[in-house]
Amino acid sequence: MKALLGLLLCVALPAVAELQGRVGLEERWFPDSPLDSRQRDHSRSVLIEPEWYQRLGGDDSLNLKVFYRHDDGDVERRHGDIREAYWLHVGSDYELTLGINRVFWGVTESQHLVDIINQTDLVEAPDGEEKLGQPMAHLALLRDWGVVDLFLLPGFRERTFPGVKGRLRSHPVTVGDAQYSSGAEKKHVDLAARWSHYVNDVSIGLSAFHGTSREPLFQLQDQGGAAVLQPLYPQITQSGLDLQYVQGDWLWKLEAIYRHLVSDVGAGTSAAHFSAATGGFERTQVGILGSDWDLGWILELSYDSRQSGMTAFQRDLFWGARFTANDIAGTEVLVGFGQDLQQDKVELFRMEASRRFGAATRLSLEISIFDGASPESPLYLLRRDSYAELGVEYFF
């Protein structure tokens, strides 16, 4: 990774270039006392994410985006990452990307089952929306019958986890000394492919992945007399489907996967497979009350064949609303509720709101409430970690 970055920075470059990015200040406040007395009731952090684009002439370009956050309490949240550092060549009917990049697959709101190329940056976002950069060779073939994306993925990235003093973490704490079912460990080369196409108002994607799972299993271990959770990354094969259909004001969505995994670290060899799906709709009312405002209503159902303790979306309903002011300030508000249908309880409330002030400053507010989860649910570990987060960012 360091060698690649050095190569990119040392290349002799022509004049066309852009430098932009953001700096930000963020404050998180946890109103409830923590489960572990070592955890803090607030955190303050600063971040910087510069992005550099260099056109090389013709159909080639270089892209670089790096990220760093310094948190005043959790040392695991003082981290940096190369989000993007790649060379892109655009041909007449193909695109080739070499380097580090982030690729998103998915259509639903509550979770992204098919999104598997990049590792989750959990210390950045507990909902899994933030991703680490992934080394890759990516060839996209553009055809009349669809786009075929082929990926070669060397260099596995381990998931980030909050430290001992951090909130929104497991109990006991998860350590970084991971194990792998593959003898190649981090050096295992993963493979992925996706075909996508549009037919009238329907978009469809079929994907396949073989390699190291981005979602770890956990083993309870003793570390210096203290119990800790140790991540275990098995080898998996996953097939995925994402589907989206536009019908007037209605947007119908579906993501589904089937995953087979083999884990032979520790106590012998075990094999398992499971299926999962999330589907629903978003209906948008345009120009409500004669204004420029839009209001979208969201409802999604999730199913997962695994035990309830392994996923927060076993038999769950997500419902909410998205408000868009369509103003110059880009005012948006998203409100959602997560409900366990088996327990008939609302386990999660989440609100995200943002608005720009001036041309380059954005204020954001996030509120997450983890309440009512049963002891069998993964969200039960967060029952004391409801929080409010206020952030301000300046874009340059």
Side-chain angles (χ1 to χ4, degrees):
M1 184 178 296
K2 292 181 179 178
L4 176 60
L5 179 59
L7 174 63
L8 293 176
L9 294 175
C10 292
V11 172
L13 300 170
V16 180
E18 293 180 17
L19 176 64
Q20 57 186 7
R22 61 177 178 134
V23 294
L25 175 65
E26 179 185 292
E27 182 88 19
R28 275 183 182 174
W29 175 62
F30 300 88
D32 297 324
S33 58
L35 290 175
D36 188 329
S37 60
R38 296 171 295 180
Q39 295 176 286
R40 297 160 58 93
D41 59 7
H42 72 279
S43 71
R44 182 173 298 142
S45 64
V46 294
L47 67 89
I48 182 168
E49 189 178 52
E51 181 177 3
W52 175 60
Y53 166 81
Q54 179 70 56
R55 184 177 177 183
L56 300 178
D59 301 317
D60 299 275
S61 64
L62 293 176
N63 296 267
L64 175 67
K65 179 185 285 188
V66 295
F67 173 85
Y68 180 77
R69 179 186 295 276
H70 183 89
D71 188 279
D72 68 345
D74 185 0
V75 295
E76 298 297 330
R77 213 163 176 249
R78 298 170 188 166
H79 75 131
D81 183 46
I82 300 176
R83 300 301 203 201
E84 301 172 4
Y86 62 87
W87 164 73
L88 171 65
H89 175 77
V90 179
S92 60
D93 58 357
Y94 72 94
E95 294 181 0
L96 177 62
T97 303
L98 297 176
I100 299 169
N101 200 7
R102 295 188 294 182
V103 176
F104 173 74
W105 296 345
V107 294
T108 55
E109 184 69 39
S110 54
Q111 64 170 340
H112 304 300
L113 288 167
V114 300
D115 189 29
I116 196 171
I117 296 296
N118 294 85
Q119 179 59 273
T120 297
D121 193 354
L122 194 62
V123 298
E124 282 303 311
D127 60 2
E129 293 288 334
E130 287 294 331
K131 300 292 182 178
L132 299 170
Q134 170 65 48
M136 67 176 67
H138 173 199
L139 176 63
L141 303 175
L142 315 177
R143 301 292 186 267
D144 294 337
W145 40 268
V147 178
V148 177
D149 292 287
L150 304 172
F151 296 87
L152 186 70
L153 306 168
F156 178 74
R157 306 294 310 279
E158 293 183 2
R159 181 171 294 193
T160 60
F161 295 100
V164 172
K165 295 183 179 180
R167 301 292 290 263
L168 301 162
R169 68 165 170 85
S170 61
H171 296 274
V173 68
T174 302
V175 296
D177 185 20
Q179 292 192 358
Y180 298 83
S181 64
S182 168
E185 299 188 341
K186 288 184 178 180
K187 296 180 181 178
H188 188 275
V189 179
D190 304 333
L191 302 173
R194 182 173 185 262
W195 169 79
S196 59
H197 196 39
Y198 293 86
V199 180
N200 297 324
D201 296 326
V202 178
S203 65
I204 183 172
L206 294 172
S207 57
F209 173 90
H210 178 75
T212 306
S213 176
R214 275 50 178 161
E215 182 181 13
L217 305 173
F218 296 97
Q219 298 176 326
L220 186 62
Q221 302 285 3
D222 182 284
Q223 187 178 78
V228 297
L229 292 180
Q230 183 180 44
L232 165 65
Y233 293 96
Q235 290 292 296
I236 66 167
T237 298
Q238 175 173 306
S239 303
L241 164 69
D242 57 270
L243 194 64
Q244 194 162 255
Y245 171 52
V246 180
Q247 182 185 32
D249 296 334
W250 295 78
L251 182 60
W252 298 89
K253 308 174 182 180
L254 173 67
E255 291 187 34
I257 61 168
Y258 174 81
R259 183 184 299 176
H260 173 79
L261 68 151
V262 175
S263 175
D264 57 2
V265 175
T269 300
S270 62
H273 58 86
F274 71 89
S275 57
T278 295
F281 66 81
E282 180 169 351
R283 180 177 183 270
T284 301
Q285 294 178 271
V286 179
I288 57 174
L289 304 175
S291 68
D292 294 328
W293 300 345
D294 295 345
L295 184 62
W297 301 96
I298 305 169
L299 188 146
E300 293 178 355
L301 281 168
S302 290
Y303 163 81
D304 196 307
S305 63
R306 289 176 291 182
Q307 298 176 2
S308 59
M310 299 185 67
T311 174
F313 298 94
Q314 191 191 32
R315 308 281 193 283
D316 287 74
L317 174 70
F318 176 85
W319 49 281
R322 187 197 317 273
F323 169 78
T324 306
N326 292 317
D327 57 353
I328 297 176
T331 306
E332 294 183 346
V333 180
L334 173 66
V335 176
F337 298 85
Q339 182 172 350
D340 187 327
L341 296 177
Q342 292 180 301
Q343 301 293 330
D344 195 22
K345 291 181 178 178
V346 174
E347 295 184 331
L348 169 66
F349 165 79
R350 183 166 179 82
M351 186 196 78
E352 301 175 357
S354 64
R355 175 184 173 84
R356 286 198 305 272
F357 290 87
T361 303
R362 183 175 67 180
L363 188 67
S364 63
L365 173 66
E366 294 185 13
I367 297 175
S368 291
I369 299 175
F370 309 98
D371 188 23
S374 63
E376 294 78 20
S377 171
L379 293 178
Y380 188 71
L381 296 172
L382 306 179
R383 61 192 182 280
R384 306 289 300 175
D385 287 345
S386 298
Y387 70 92
E389 176 184 297
L390 183 64
V392 58
E393 295 175 308
Y394 176 77
F395 294 84
F396 57 89

